[in-house]
Amino acid sequence: MFKLFTKDFWDVTARLILRNKIAILIAIIIATYLFSTQWDYMRFSNTEANLLPDDHEANIAYNNFLDTFGEEGNLIVIGVKDSTLFTVDKLNAWNTFSSEFNNYDAVEAVISIKDLQKLVKNTNEARFTLEPFIKDSISTPQEVETLQNELFEKYPFYDNFLFNSDTKTVRTALYLKKSLVNTSARKEFVLNDLEPKIEAFEQEYNLDIRISGMPYIRTKNSENIIDEIGKFVIAALLVTSIIFFFFFRSFRATFISLIVVCIGVMWTLGIIGLLKYEITVLTALIPPLIIVIGIPNCIFLINKYQHEVKLHGNKVKSLQRVITKIGNATLMTNVTTASGFATFILTESKLLKEFGIVASLSILAIFILCLLIIPIIYTFLPFPKDRHLEHLNKRWIGGFVNWMEYMVKNKRIAIYAISVLLLTISMIGINQIKVSGSLIEDMPQESKFVNDIRFFEEEFDGILPVEIMVDTKRKKGVMKLSTLKRMDKLEEFIVETPELSKPVSVVGLVKYSKQAYYNGNPKHYQLPTSQENSFILSYAKNSSSNVDLLKNFVDSTGQYARITTFMKDIGTDKMERIQENLQDKIDKVFPEERYNVTMTGKALVFQKGTKYLVKNLAISLSLAILLISLFMAYMFRSGRMIIVSLIPNILPLLVTAGVMGYIGVPIKPSTILVFSIAFGISVDDTIHFLAKYRQELQANKWKIKPSVYGALKETGVSMFYTSIVLFFGFSVFTISDFGGTVALGALVSATLLFAMLSNLLLLPSLLLSLERSIANKQVLKKPPINIIPEEDDDEKDTSDKY
């Protein structure tokens, strides 16, 4: 038996691959076909990302609310701000247009100006009746003027719901069926029915119609995510293939690499389908990530093959050595990269867990594909021509390597000084980092649907629902005057909060009832006194419409009431302060022994999710460092070497965090990923450098300086090549329309570039400066894991960079 991952293991692996190449290719084709059959199970997310674990108190409170009042995110609003709307023809057309949405199966109810009802006192029957503001249609300009006067001056109950009395903005509310809000039927209605109908109406009547509401926002956001998957994959293939060809000047090598990464993308999509995961804003990043990570694997393997062929001219022997000499190093670098992603599996967030599982499995899959396909394909190809090997003689990068060697030899103090200075400046920047829980900050800021969100925020003070559920702890407790007065005090506080819209609840309905009792006089739009209450409630009880009016505000038992308001997209800090202020007011107004009041809603759940992720950032990154430290311990058998190897990789993360603080990039769900991803990838350079350093030590009889300089010369070019690929590969994410994805791509690219310099300058400097304490012969002679098997003396070649 051979020991796992030793030279014997890789010798056996090489023989198995090269002797069973037809069977392996057939197996890969079959596996690819089977993965492709799973694509049908891929589902694009129909809900916004829930960053919290299912058992988190915020999720429990939100689900309790849904159980009581049903889905609260089923409202789509259509708005117009145009003075020409208040003409006979356009107003009638708008009302007809709004009413026609009742004909769609996806729509449960439509409320427009035409559907508004006056609550009218019927003295003879001692009850309230409902009369429409517009009976059939409007026929004269005087009727339009009367309608405006009534809506904007006399009926405050409807103000800020279907119109803004100050700006004369009007909107129509579409309530989708709650059963389809989180299904693909919602998407079909929005894209195939709603948008075409609105566009046709806009063109016919020359009106600028705005659309918003959570179902619409989620649909348009998902559509953008779907569009970006193809854009990212094409951009990643184009950029990496151009860079690859620039390095190798070989269409054949470039084409082989593209085949490998394309199969890797097919496997990734198959893994998503097999696990029945949804395509989210995070999992959409994985296919292009696999291309970016897979191309460096191809560079290592193909470059090694061409070096070997040039060295001794034996193609079979060269392919065998590609596997035996590069296999373990490539495995370890892919495992460390996968580990950076895998740490997300240990979080309690479903969204991050799925991202971590798919990403880590896909990275290991692309490693297997590279190791199998590239050597096998080259067995069928003819011997490389001289032009395919010309790039091995290129010396254009020699100046860069010489500069690095000069800096390490003569400028170590400067390297340390710059590192300490960067660390100090970065720590100051880190203290300036802010946390952002904005629901729309990462959405395409120039898109029409985001501009429409801003429009409704300005006109109606918010679009993100915040729900307050009042449990009176007894049946019919909501309609007690004491409860209504407490709710009214809370609503007054909400009205005084600029970031919140005017609340909607049963309190407004009761005030409206008093106004109606006093023949529609707007001065009486207020809660009734104790004496008035009995008379008004007797009218309400006799009104057949009372149940219909109450059903959205009070549950069937009369024990629970809801207060609905909408919040502007103001970010985590302000949102948290508003929540604290609301909670303080609730605690003062509602005695705990008599009421149980909870705050929930999409906005608060998202804010809690962001806060939860920030708390888990340190845990996730610590786990990544711990896992990779264990790999380093396994490979080098030296605790001191672990510490030295981590320093050049942690410093770039701190610098990136500092830059985020200085330029105002906040910590949010997208940018949180930067640190674990960048650390998992950047440590690959450390592994390659230390592996070659170990080999040089054994060849140079444990002499430190020649070993460090030898490793620097040998690995400098390869680390430069792969870092350039990774830099430009991650840079493709900056073409995204999503701000978070742009920040992710730019920050990871910058971190990896700085990590390359850190590993090529700071790491060798540390090895030279601390040689007596960390690199003495006794430590180094401990049996290490041979990441790169030693070459025979007659096979040694200084041009071998791997």
Side-chain angles (χ1 to χ4, degrees), residues 95-114:
N95 291 330
T96 302
F97 164 75
S98 299
S99 299
E100 287 174 352
F101 284 107
N102 282 306
N103 301 326
Y104 292 93
D105 293 335
V107 178
E108 182 178 297
V110 177
I111 303 179
S112 66
I113 291 178
K114 189 175 187 299

Side-chain angles (χ1 to χ4, degrees), residues 734-778:
T734 59
I735 67 173
S736 172
D737 293 326
F738 293 82
T741 307
V742 172
L744 174 70
L747 291 171
V748 172
S749 296
T751 306
L752 293 178
L753 199 61
F754 185 75
M756 175 197 71
L757 294 173
S758 183
N759 277 297
L760 289 176
L761 296 175
L762 183 57
L763 177 58
S765 297
L766 287 171
L767 290 173
L768 288 170
S769 298
L770 304 175
E771 60 180 281
R772 291 184 179 178
S773 59
I774 66 167
N776 57 73
K777 188 173 181 179
Q778 285 71 29

Side-chain angles (χ1 to χ4, degrees), residues 523-571:
K523 292 183 179 180
H524 291 280
Y525 183 75
Q526 55 189 254
L527 286 177
T529 63
S530 301
Q531 292 80 8
E532 294 169 329
N533 194 43
S534 57
F535 294 104
I536 292 171
L537 286 182
S538 66
Y539 270 71
K541 290 176 181 177
N542 293 331
S543 303
S544 60
S545 60
N546 185 54
V547 175
D548 294 330
L549 290 171
L550 283 177
K551 69 177 182 178
N552 287 323
F553 306 127
V554 183
D555 81 313
S556 58
T557 66
Q559 178 177 335
Y560 297 93
R562 68 188 287 190
I563 300 173
T564 302
T565 181
F566 293 90
M567 181 180 287
K568 294 181 179 179
D569 188 52
I570 52 177

Side-chain angles (χ1 to χ4, degrees), residues 384-449:
K385 298 178 181 179
D386 291 339
R387 59 186 175 87
H388 295 145
L389 306 178
E390 283 181 2
H391 71 96
L392 300 177
N393 300 319
K394 297 291 183 184
R395 300 299 178 190
W396 60 271
I397 202 170
F400 176 68
V401 175
N402 293 334
W403 173 78
M404 289 188 299
E405 185 177 357
Y406 169 79
M407 292 295 293
V408 172
K409 278 183 180 180
N410 304 300
K411 301 292 183 181
R412 286 205 294 275
I413 300 299
I415 291 172
Y416 297 145
I418 292 172
S419 299
V420 172
L421 179 63
L422 285 173
L423 179 61
T424 304
I425 295 173
S426 299
M427 297 307 293
I428 297 172
I430 289 171
N431 290 325
Q432 300 178 29
I433 291 183
K434 296 180 180 179
V435 178
S436 170
S438 169
L439 190 62
I440 63 173
E441 185 179 44
D442 283 345
M443 294 180 182
Q445 295 301 300
E446 301 302 319
S447 62
K448 184 180 184 302
F449 81 91

